[in-house]
Amino acid sequence: MEVSRLPRVFEFNGLRLSDPNPDLPIDAVKGVLGLQYPEISNAEFKKSETSEAIVYTIKANYGQKG
């Protein structure tokens, strides 16, 4: 029996981002993707699964000043 893990896909602002490294935990992925998209550094990751992939929908947390 062969065990394989589903690929992870990250969706952010209508973009589908590939997994920078399947062995990284989600907090580390936040750091890597946050280099290119700074809003991701403080974003919320919501996980869902399909038969083809594990999908993380990234929702940026925009704060208010004042």
Side-chain angles (χ1 to χ4, degrees), residues 4 6 9-11 20 22 24-26 29-30 32-33 35 37 39 42 47 49 56 58-59:
S4 61
L6 292 172
V9 176
F10 299 90
E11 295 180 345
L24 289 177
I26 293 302
V29 171
K30 269 187 187 185
V32 172
L33 294 178
L35 295 173
Y37 303 97
E39 316 81 312
N42 296 321
K47 179 181 175 182
E49 277 190 44
Y56 288 90
I58 303 169
K59 183 172 185 288

Side-chain angles (χ1 to χ4, degrees), residues 15-44:
L15 300 173
R16 205 166 173 121
L17 308 172
S18 59
D19 192 347
N21 182 341
D23 295 326
L24 289 177
I26 293 302
D27 287 337
V29 171
K30 269 187 187 185
V32 172
L33 294 178
L35 295 173
Q36 187 169 3
Y37 303 97
E39 316 81 312
I40 290 178
S41 297
N42 296 321
E44 176 184 336

